[in-house]
Amino acid sequence: MAKATRDFTQGHPGKQLLLFSWPLILAMVLQNFYNMADTLVVGRFLGDTAMGAVGTAGTVTNVVLMLVGGATQGASVVISQYIGAKDEGNVKKALMTAVYILVGQALVFGVVGLMTSSSLLRMINVNGEANDLASEYLRIIFAGTIATALYNMGYVVSRSLGDSITPMIVLVFTSILNVGLNVLFVVSFHMGVAGVAYATILATAIAAVICWGIIWRRCPIIRPDKDSIRLDGPMAKVITKIGIPSALMSSTNMIGILVVQSLVNGFTTATLPVMAAYAAATKLEAMISYPPGGISQGMQILAGQNVGAGKFERVGQGLKAAIQIIAVYSVFSGAVLILGGKALMGLFTSTQTTIDIGYAYLVITAIGLFLCGVVFTIRYTLNGAGDASASALLSVIELVARVAGAYIFSHYTSLGYIGIFIGTPIGWLVASVVAVVRFKGGKWKEKRIIKTPVKQVAEGA
């Protein structure tokens, strides 16, 4: 069998995780910079209303892309476990089947998004000029859903094969290209919000081509043969079984953000720019606080390969190392947000009220960053082990706790929009407690997809 770039079934789990994850961490920083560039350019050159519109539109887009990405996540888990079992034929079948499912989903959601953009925005209290601007942005983004989906799948497939370098290289190029196109289309060509959307889609399409080109050349294991080129029914069922809960896991979190966004929009007035402040603050939070997400993603691959190989004890060792890394980084990132939050908000806008509101959000979320890291890492670990239903359940629990906390504190106390912000760490706290209990319970060990003994699989591969 062609060798994966990194074999997580051998060596020290913590060291393997660090060596694999540092490019993912850098890639996540670049991805968030990529996303933040849109908001920053819009805020500086088009104003607070446009910044709030693009930020809200981005939230809607992410929910749809997370739903489309279910096939991608399902394929990631299946591919990782077959790599761990040294079964090259099924690696190819899983990949090709996932591509067919992904393209079909992207077409459906893209068309639906094009038809319902304005209505979706009105449902979350986006009206007037903000609705017009956000609808214009969304229609362009939804038209490019297939390109975005294929890029995301290329990224995930690279990880599944143990290759964390390719996504980093592609994102370095794409981030620079996206920022350049943003400035060109908005500042030089005066294309407004549409220019930001076109820049995003063009950069993503180019990234998809480059990413798949590199993977195709470097990893012969993904190249289909006559046995894997067709849609494989049984494999589609396995991918869907994992993918649906995975999509729910990812999209539920985004739906929670969407509901919170609706609450935020409801407090927004001409003199209280909560929407614009929230758009900028959440981008800063992601940029500074989420790099350990690369560790979480690495744990999904580590768990998948080791569960596929039947080496369950290595999963716990890797998770312990991951939590320790996240704890250290949480202290650093929390300090940056609290001490430098106002200066960072000033990069997006010169409106003092917007800066103050955004800074309040940054301080509140900084307090719960470690809990965020814990719940996300355990969710990815359970997902990699094949326990996707537990991951989805954790997402639902986090959503309910977050939305309930946001609504109660904003509507039944005098805190107003500050109460919405408090809901975020509440959701992380509740979900992290349940996540720890679920992992320690050990039921994930029974979710191994590959039922054939590892030795037999290897001999038949």
Side-chain angles (χ1 to χ4, degrees):
M1 176 180 172
K3 187 179 179 181
T5 304
R6 184 166 297 279
D7 184 356
F8 279 107
T9 65
Q10 305 294 328
H12 189 279
K15 182 178 179 180
Q16 290 279 64
L17 185 64
L18 267 178
L19 290 173
F20 176 76
S21 296
W22 77 260
L24 294 180
I25 292 171
L26 181 56
M28 182 162 285
V29 171
L30 292 169
Q31 182 69 64
N32 287 320
F33 177 74
Y34 180 178
N35 295 333
M36 189 177 73
D38 292 356
T39 307
L40 196 151
V41 171
V42 171
R44 274 297 174 185
F45 294 99
L46 301 178
D48 282 7
T49 299
M51 181 169 70
V54 169
T56 300
T59 304
V60 175
T61 303
N62 286 337
V63 172
V64 175
L65 290 178
M66 290 296 183
L67 289 170
V68 172
T72 305
Q73 292 299 325
S76 173
V77 174
V78 175
I79 289 171
S80 294
Q81 293 203 17
Y82 278 120
I83 285 175
K86 309 296 187 285
D87 189 343
E88 182 174 341
N90 278 317
V91 170
K92 295 178 184 290
K93 287 182 180 180
L95 177 62
M96 288 307 303
T97 299
V99 169
Y100 291 126
I101 296 172
L102 183 73
V103 171
Q105 287 180 329
L107 280 170
V108 171
F109 282 106
V111 171
V112 172
L114 281 167
M115 296 172 61
T116 62
S117 295
S118 183
S119 300
L120 285 171
L121 290 164
R122 282 195 294 271
M123 288 174 61
I124 56 172
N125 296 319
V126 182
N127 300 296
E129 181 185 5
N131 186 287
D132 295 338
L133 293 171
S135 296
E136 182 181 17
Y137 179 90
L138 278 179
R139 282 191 290 269
I140 297 168
I141 295 296
F142 281 129
T145 301
I146 290 181
T148 305
L150 287 174
Y151 164 69
N152 288 340
M153 184 165 186
Y155 180 91
V156 170
V157 167
S158 293
R159 289 188 346 226
S160 299
L161 295 170
D163 177 12
S164 56
I165 300 295
T166 295
M168 180 189 69
I169 294 173
V170 174
L171 269 173
V172 169
F173 171 79
T174 307
S175 298
I176 294 171
L177 178 63
N178 184 55
V179 172
L181 291 174
N182 272 323
V183 174
L184 179 66
F185 291 165
V186 174
V187 180
S188 299
F189 294 169
H190 306 289
M191 295 173 65
V193 167
V196 177
Y198 282 123
T200 298
I201 289 301
L202 182 56
T204 302
I206 293 172
V209 173
I210 294 173
C211 190
W212 277 103
I214 294 174
I215 298 171
W216 188 271
R217 181 174 59 84
R218 294 183 58 191
C219 303
I221 190 175
I222 73 165
R223 300 173 191 171
D225 51 31
K226 63 179 182 179
D227 295 324
S228 60
I229 194 68
R230 298 182 301 274
L231 177 69
D232 186 280
M235 187 65 72
K237 290 181 180 179
V238 175
I239 292 173
T240 302
K241 181 180 178 181
I242 299 296
I244 289 177
S246 297
L248 290 174
M249 178 186 74
S250 301
S251 61
T252 296
N253 181 58
M254 295 308 304
I255 290 170
I257 294 175
L258 196 63
V259 173
V260 172
Q261 181 76 62
S262 178
L263 294 174
V264 166
N265 297 346
F267 279 91
T268 300
T269 65
T271 58
L272 198 64
V274 185
M275 185 191 301
Y278 186 73
T282 51
K283 292 296 188 298
L284 284 171
E285 175 199 8
M287 179 72 182
I288 295 169
S289 305
Y290 288 6
I295 296 290
S296 302
Q297 293 172 3
M299 272 305 305
Q300 177 169 298
I301 310 305
L302 185 149
Q305 288 192 18
N306 281 288
V307 169
K311 298 182 178 181
F312 301 115
E313 73 286 350
R314 291 178 59 83
V315 178
Q317 293 168 5
L319 181 60
K320 181 179 179 180
I323 296 298
Q324 290 172 344
I325 295 168
I326 288 170
V328 173
Y329 187 82
S330 296
V331 174
F332 164 76
S333 58
V336 171
L337 291 179
I338 293 172
L339 299 177
K342 285 193 175 182
L344 291 169
M345 281 295 300
L347 298 174
F348 293 83
T349 178
S350 58
T351 305
Q352 190 60 47
T353 304
T354 306
I355 292 173
D356 291 340
I357 294 171
Y359 178 65
Y361 174 84
L362 294 176
V363 171
I364 290 169
T365 54
I367 297 171
L369 287 179
F370 173 67
L371 297 174
C372 175
V374 170
V375 68
F376 270 81
T377 303
I378 295 180
R379 275 165 47 178
Y380 273 105
T381 302
L382 293 174
N383 201 49
D387 195 5
S389 59
S391 297
L393 178 60
L394 287 172
S395 297
V396 172
I397 291 171
E398 182 186 351
L399 166 65
V400 172
R402 182 175 189 177
V403 172
Y407 186 82
I408 291 170
F409 280 102
S410 64
H411 285 75
Y412 293 98
T413 72
S414 59
L415 293 172
Y417 65 84
I418 296 294
I420 301 174
F421 302 162
I422 292 174
T424 299
I426 288 176
W428 293 337
L429 173 62
V430 174
S432 64
V433 171
V434 178
V436 170
V437 172
R438 176 69 182 191
F439 182 82
K440 285 187 173 295
K443 290 186 177 181
W444 53 273
K445 298 177 183 178
E446 304 169 7
K447 304 295 182 178
R448 186 169 179 262
I449 296 169
I450 302 168
K451 302 303 181 184
T452 306
V454 177
K455 181 178 179 181
Q456 292 181 21
V457 172
E459 292 174 349

